[in-house]
Amino acid sequence: MPKASEIKKNVAIDYDGKTFIVKDIERSVPQGRAGGSLYRMRMYDVVTGRKVDETFKDSDMINLADLVRRPAMFSYLDGEEYVFMDTEDYTPYNLNKASIEEEVLFINEETTGIQVILVSDSPVALDMPTNVELEVVETDPSIKGASATSRTKPAVLSTGATVQVPEHISTGDRIKVNVEERKFAGRAEK
């Protein structure tokens, strides 16, 4: 059982009878205290997606959750359920659209690096790769001579998501998108 000071981002923990994934950690050292650091953790409930902010002392013991990550790829949409296929043993995992609506904006049949998170053998969430490659399906015409650091314009991607891109990007280009920040991360390699 690790101490709070040993917990890292994207680790699953058992807290208050529920399973959470730690998404952000802030360390602070209060002045005038003869104690250790405090760790403020932003956690998300893997089942409901509810956000919880909790502060731990560095010596607090934290239970790690029994969580399994399986490599998967998007297979098909079945009503309100998204079906992902395990890339190793071909097990299908059904996830409700509401529980993964943020991630769905960056997923198509070609997206690689997706992991399905299982708690007690049932799928509860997705772990997305840092960057995904998607095609621009609608944007204003590109401007010749526009520098890569100049102004941006909105671009609609093949999945329906909209991100800001530099002016030199045009419809039909494949780009990399940072999933966490929802930002343009460069042109995709051809």
Side-chain angles (χ1 to χ4, degrees), residues 13-133:
I13 63 169
D14 272 335
Y15 177 72
D16 209 19
K18 295 184 177 88
T19 303
F20 292 92
I21 293 185
V22 177
K23 287 293 187 184
D24 197 29
I25 301 172
E26 278 181 35
R27 179 178 174 257
S28 62
V29 183
Q31 299 249 328
R33 257 191 60 188
S37 304
L38 294 177
Y39 292 86
R40 180 180 174 86
M41 297 184 192
R42 173 159 288 166
M43 309 179 297
Y44 289 87
D45 187 318
V46 295
V47 177
T48 65
R50 186 174 61 96
K51 178 178 76 173
V52 175
D53 287 335
E54 198 62 54
T55 303
F56 299 96
K57 294 180 191 149
D58 60 356
S59 59
D60 287 347
M61 301 304 273
I62 296 177
N63 286 327
L64 293 178
D66 185 20
L67 189 79
V68 177
R69 294 172 193 265
R70 297 290 303 168
M73 61 184 287
F74 174 62
S75 189
Y76 61 93
L77 180 62
D78 182 17
E80 289 295 307
E81 301 270 309
Y82 279 79
V83 181
F84 293 84
M85 188 72 66
D86 191 307
T87 57
E88 292 173 358
D89 65 11
Y90 306 110
T91 304
Y93 301 114
N94 292 16
L95 283 157
N96 190 305
K97 183 179 182 178
S99 67
I100 58 169
E101 62 188 332
E102 297 289 315
E103 292 89 347
V104 167
L105 293 172
F106 301 101
I107 295 174
N108 63 20
E109 290 84 1
E110 300 163 15
T111 307
T112 58
I114 300 170
Q115 291 186 320
V116 173
I117 298 171
L118 305 170
V119 175
S120 305
D121 289 334
S122 61
V124 294
L126 289 179
D127 192 11
M128 294 290 291
T130 306
N131 292 322
V132 295
E133 292 184 8

